[in-house]
Amino acid sequence: MVDFKINILLIKIMKEAKFYKKLNDNNVQCELCNHFCTIKDNQTGFCRVRKNKKGKLISLVYGYPVALNADPIEKKPLFHFMPASYTYSLGTLGCNFRCANCQNWDISQAKNIENKIDNLSFYDPESIVEDAIYNECASISYTYTEPTIFTEYALDIMKLAHSRGLKNVWVSNGFMSKKCLEEILHYLDAINIDLKSMDDDFYQKNCAARLKPVLENLIRIKKEQIHLEITTLIIPTLSDSIDMLSKIADFIVNELGTDIPWHISKFSPEISWKLKDLPATGDDIIYEAYEIGKEAGLKYIYVGNLPGDQRENTYCPKCGELCIRRFGYHIERLDNNGFCPKCDADLDIID
Ligand code: SF4
């Protein structure tokens, strides 16, 4: 038992980060995301989970998930990737964004990470994969907070997951560095990326980030033919302009393809980190965004947080037949193994 505790302690202290370079005077530069933080000795980067210890960059969260659940894949949301399957989902503390609208802010914006981790249990990658299999999940999702910031842990799990026949899913803000993206692409099967706005000012003010790297990464992911879906949260006054929503729809159509599913979801002030004074997103703008996507030429547009709305369903893009009926996370598959049961059109589904 004593030995076991010592081992845990060593793993905590010794897990060196992957993507960084050493600078003068024991400083380091993290190369994991597009912040490229320069970090002084004994300091953490912007995400609060990567710490410079005497010129060595350490991942503080390797092996310490703060949330573990078997979720419906639709919750990510992914509607065209193994529909109606379960995905073993995990996330750690920390984030490289500061989204004022964050719904998981209690874990994403946590401070004093080292103290908090002292109260978490260690899960090695093998135990995560075993638990996913035990829970009859078809995939593992790296989610809840931004997986980029726990890439080392995710990568080790992803490699094992593939060797055991499980798929890997990321739910991401898309702000990882090129270096990070190239490495995860080897093991990634599907990803949902938030395209929060087409306005760089929004990214800077609301998220403390930038738009351009997200767009570039989306194009790279599409080129690699990784299954991709996109989510946009419509926030009243901040990301609800018709012009901006049209730009998102046009970007998806022109740069990524009409087959990319676009999820439009509602903002709720009660559960957001900040922005408590804003109203909840009205249904009208959600329906308007849906029409904007249709007019732009997207084949699959879905409304979120509106259980029972027919716009949650998948219809055949060719003949209009109902192919997957959804009510929240109750999924009824009427398709024929990813093809329309009426006209046999391809529904761009991966099973
Ligand atoms: S992951 Fe991003 S935010 Fe975190 S330390 Fe590295 S560059 Fe900074």
Side-chain angles (χ1 to χ4, degrees):
M1 192 62 193
V2 173
D3 282 345
F4 179 59
K5 276 189 177 160
I6 289 171
N7 274 339
I8 288 175
L9 199 60
L10 282 175
I11 290 164
K12 259 188 184 174
I13 294 171
M14 299 302 293
K15 195 65 197 178
E16 188 173 4
K18 274 170 94 80
F19 305 83
Y20 81 100
K21 67 181 174 201
K22 292 176 188 277
L23 304 173
N24 292 337
D25 303 324
N26 269 358
N27 293 334
V28 300
Q29 183 171 36
C30 179
E31 298 175 315
L32 187 57
C33 88
N34 276 282
H35 285 307
F36 293 107
C37 300
T38 297
I39 311 171
K40 291 182 180 164
D41 189 16
N42 211 29
Q43 303 289 311
T44 53
F46 187 65
C47 58
R48 303 192 179 113
V49 300
R50 299 168 77 76
K51 186 167 185 176
N52 180 348
K53 291 197 174 180
K54 295 189 172 63
K56 195 173 180 182
L57 189 64
I58 303 295
S59 165
L60 297 176
V61 290
Y62 187 102
Y64 293 94
V66 70
L68 284 171
N69 291 299
D71 286 338
I73 191 82
E74 284 75 14
K75 198 173 178 181
K76 299 304 107 191
L78 285 179
F79 280 15
H80 287 246
F81 185 79
M82 308 179 105
S85 69
Y86 270 75
T87 185
Y88 192 81
S89 305
L90 68 122
T92 69
L93 295 166
C95 190
N96 56 350
F97 274 26
R98 295 282 182 272
C99 303
N101 55 280
C102 184
Q103 299 180 0
N104 291 337
W105 57 272
D106 52 333
I107 54 173
S108 71
Q109 304 305 323
K111 293 178 181 162
N112 303 319
I113 300 285
E114 280 175 286
N115 291 345
K116 290 199 167 73
I117 279 173
D118 282 342
N119 297 319
L120 296 175
S121 302
F122 181 80
Y123 290 83
D124 63 16
E126 288 82 3
S127 63
I128 295 289
V129 173
E130 286 302 328
D131 214 26
I133 293 168
Y134 177 79
N135 281 282
E136 299 182 356
C137 292
S139 60
I140 297 181
S141 287
Y142 310 84
T143 177
Y144 302 133
T145 54
E146 173 52 40
T148 300
I149 57 113
F150 60 91
T151 289
E152 292 85 359
Y153 187 39
L155 271 172
D156 285 353
I157 300 169
M158 290 166 86
K159 289 172 193 170
L160 268 180
H162 268 191
S163 73
R164 301 293 303 275
L166 298 174
K167 304 290 184 194
N168 289 309
V169 170
W170 273 40
V171 181
S172 174
N173 58 31
F175 199 64
M176 66 284 280
S177 66
K178 286 192 170 66
K179 226 180 207 178
C180 170
L181 180 58
E182 292 308 318
E183 184 120 0
I184 66 162
L185 282 175
H186 296 298
Y187 309 99
L188 188 67
D189 300 292
I191 187 165
N192 185 305
I193 290 190
D194 273 354
L195 183 50
K196 298 168 188 289
S197 174
M198 287 300 271
D199 180 1
D200 188 59
D201 209 43
F202 173 94
Y203 267 85
Q204 290 195 35
K205 288 183 181 153
N206 195 64
C207 313
R210 283 169 292 118
L211 169 66
K212 191 164 170 258
V214 179
L215 299 181
E216 288 171 354
N217 284 340
L218 281 165
I219 291 168
R220 176 73 188 104
I221 288 164
K222 171 65 186 177
K223 193 174 169 207
E224 203 60 25
Q225 296 186 323
I226 304 293
H227 180 81
L228 171 65
E229 304 196 18
I230 289 173
T231 298
T232 302
L233 178 78
I234 299 186
I235 308 172
T237 72
L238 298 181
S239 59
D240 63 347
S241 96
I242 300 300
D243 180 52
M244 195 282 297
L245 293 167
S246 300
K247 281 184 186 158
I248 292 185
D250 290 343
F251 172 81
I252 301 173
V253 168
N254 296 326
E255 302 293 338
L256 307 175
T258 55
D259 57 330
I260 303 295
W262 185 30
H263 301 265
I264 310 157
S265 59
K266 295 175 85 170
F267 162 81
S268 304
E270 315 85 61
I271 51 172
S272 89
W273 182 31
K274 296 175 180 173
L275 310 176
K276 299 284 185 194
D277 296 339
L278 290 182
T281 311
D283 293 355
D284 288 356
I285 184 68
I286 296 286
Y287 298 147
E288 213 164 334
Y290 182 93
E291 293 306 324
I292 287 169
K294 281 271 168 229
E295 275 167 35
L298 286 172
K299 291 182 188 171
Y300 313 106
I301 307 152
Y302 299 106
V303 299
N305 322 107
L306 282 169
D309 193 292
Q310 61 171 10
R311 299 170 190 84
E312 275 199 323
N313 298 332
T314 298
Y315 295 93
C316 173
K318 198 169 164 198
C319 74
E321 180 75 358
L322 175 62
C323 296
I324 302 180
R325 184 185 282 124
R326 299 183 183 85
F327 191 98
Y329 301 125
H330 179 78
I331 316 298
E332 190 183 354
R333 290 197 64 167
L334 307 165
D335 61 310
N336 188 8
N337 296 321
F339 292 85
C340 174
K342 191 172 168 193
C343 74
D344 208 32
D346 193 341
L347 301 170
D348 301 295
I349 284 172
I350 294 181
D351 269 311

